[in-house]
Amino acid sequence: MAEIATIARPYAEALFKASAAEHGGAEIVGQIAALGAVARDPQLRAFADNPKVDAELIFNVMADVVGRKGVALRGQTQNFLRTLIANGRIGALPEIASQFQTLVNNARGISDATIVSAFPLDQVQVDSLLATLQPRFGGRRLNATVQIDPELIGGVRVVVGDEVLDTSVRARLESMKAALVA
């Protein structure tokens, strides 16, 4: 996976720099995310990877699929997609979309947070948890996604970027086990 990330990085950074003049790239995030979602489809990838298929046809198919999802590709995004197709980088598009989203979020002072809980959390609990976590992560606004993992037993594990805050019962039990074994 590191190879795809390495390939995607220059494209995501170039797109961000090109779109930063216009609201920090925020206006095309949805377009790039939609293209990334389309590029994950195995049938489309097989179609795009076929050397007999013309680049313009690949572009038209992808633009049509995204358009049917209610996303209109603007000029800059169209040019970006044509560049990816010409360079044979459709397979990197989902990772490009992810890295681009991260760059836009960083510019806006937002970080994606994954909250893993043993039990479902309602919105009031999530908001309370985010209010507690934001100072810990440098005061950045956190865009939370909640996942359920019953193996945690209780508590939560929060992942923001490469930082992990694990206050789950499972983590505490593992810590106690390590202390007793040592």
Side-chain angles (χ1 to χ4, degrees):
M1 210 40 115
E3 184 178 322
I4 292 293
T6 303
I7 291 169
R9 186 171 300 109
Y11 287 100
E13 289 173 352
L15 181 62
F16 179 73
K17 287 177 185 173
S19 65
E22 301 172 18
H23 305 72
E27 71 282 348
I28 64 170
V29 166
Q31 295 172 49
I32 300 300
L35 286 172
V38 169
R40 282 187 183 91
D41 183 74
Q43 289 178 326
L44 179 101
R45 292 278 304 280
F47 173 75
D49 291 342
N50 185 340
K52 294 181 181 180
V53 177
D54 181 59
E56 189 63 25
L57 182 59
I58 296 169
F59 174 83
N60 290 336
V61 167
M62 290 187 73
D64 184 56
V65 171
V66 170
R68 290 175 190 259
K69 293 183 178 195
V71 178
L73 299 180
R74 298 203 178 132
Q76 185 177 30
T77 309
Q78 289 178 2
N79 291 340
F80 183 72
L81 179 57
R82 288 181 196 282
T83 301
L84 290 177
I85 293 168
N87 293 327
R89 298 297 189 202
I90 295 298
L93 193 49
E95 181 63 24
I96 292 169
S98 174
Q99 289 187 22
F100 181 72
Q101 176 70 56
T102 300
L103 290 169
V104 170
N105 283 351
N106 288 342
R108 297 168 74 194
I110 301 172
S111 292
D112 289 327
T114 303
I115 301 171
V116 184
S117 173
F119 304 100
L121 300 174
D122 62 29
Q123 192 58 45
V124 173
Q125 292 170 316
V126 172
D127 292 342
S128 174
L129 182 59
L130 289 176
T132 304
L133 291 171
Q134 285 176 339
R136 176 171 171 86
F137 292 103
R140 297 175 65 92
R141 290 181 303 162
L142 299 176
N143 182 19
T145 303
V146 179
Q147 298 175 352
I148 307 300
D149 182 3
E151 292 184 11
L152 293 182
I153 303 170
V156 294
R157 181 174 60 233
V158 180
V159 180
V160 177
D162 60 355
E163 296 182 63
V164 178
L165 174 64
D166 196 344
T167 62
S168 67
V169 173
R170 180 179 177 188
R172 290 181 185 167
L173 289 172
E174 292 292 329
S175 176
M176 288 172 46
K177 178 182 174 183
L180 289 172
V181 173

